[in-house]
Amino acid sequence: MEMRCYRKILHISYKDHVTNEEVRAKIQQAIGPHEDLLTIVKRRKLQWYGHVSRSSGLAKTILQGTVKGRRRQGGQRKRWEDNIREWTGLEFGKSQRAVENREKWRRLVAKSSVVPERPSRLRD
């Protein structure tokens, strides 16, 4: 999705055979330093999780999965809890306690939302 948007902004077709690395370099020149889309999504999702976890409304009830009912038949789907555990390294109960301290949670969000650098491909 991100690359499709970059290509559309720069008017580059996939038929032009321009590599993703070249597109990233051109977008860097065009708009300057920016965050990757995945970084923005992770950061906002973690921030929203902290916001909802500190509240006491319906969103918190749904997020914690305490609504009665069954899941649909089929394979296991990734849940919010799975993303939080993967990105922060905290179990669900520990993350619930961590969000209570806003400053600590903000530092954890900043550290956890960073996306590792993409490895550059070597051409032979």
Side-chain angles (χ1 to χ4, degrees), residues 21-100:
E21 292 172 1
E22 292 174 36
V23 172
R24 282 190 199 97
K26 287 181 181 182
I27 206 75
Q28 183 77 20
Q29 291 173 350
I31 65 173
H34 64 284
E35 287 183 309
D36 288 337
L37 181 61
L38 183 59
T39 303
I40 294 168
V41 169
K42 276 184 170 183
R43 181 173 35 83
R44 288 186 180 177
K45 197 168 179 177
L46 287 168
Q47 287 172 340
W48 190 82
Y49 172 78
H51 173 74
V52 169
S53 295
R54 284 187 293 273
S55 72
S56 61
L58 180 63
K60 181 177 182 178
T61 304
I62 293 169
L63 185 66
Q64 290 178 345
T66 54
V67 177
K68 291 183 180 180
R70 293 178 45 140
R71 287 182 158 209
R72 290 189 296 162
Q73 187 176 357
Q76 183 78 9
R77 302 236 172 156
K78 191 167 255 196
R79 301 172 299 178
W80 270 82
E81 178 183 338
D82 299 331
N83 285 145
I84 303 303
R85 183 182 303 125
E86 181 183 323
W87 296 336
T88 62
L90 298 174
E91 293 298 321
F92 188 68
K94 290 183 180 179
S95 68
Q96 286 289 306
R97 286 188 295 281
V99 298
E100 292 171 6

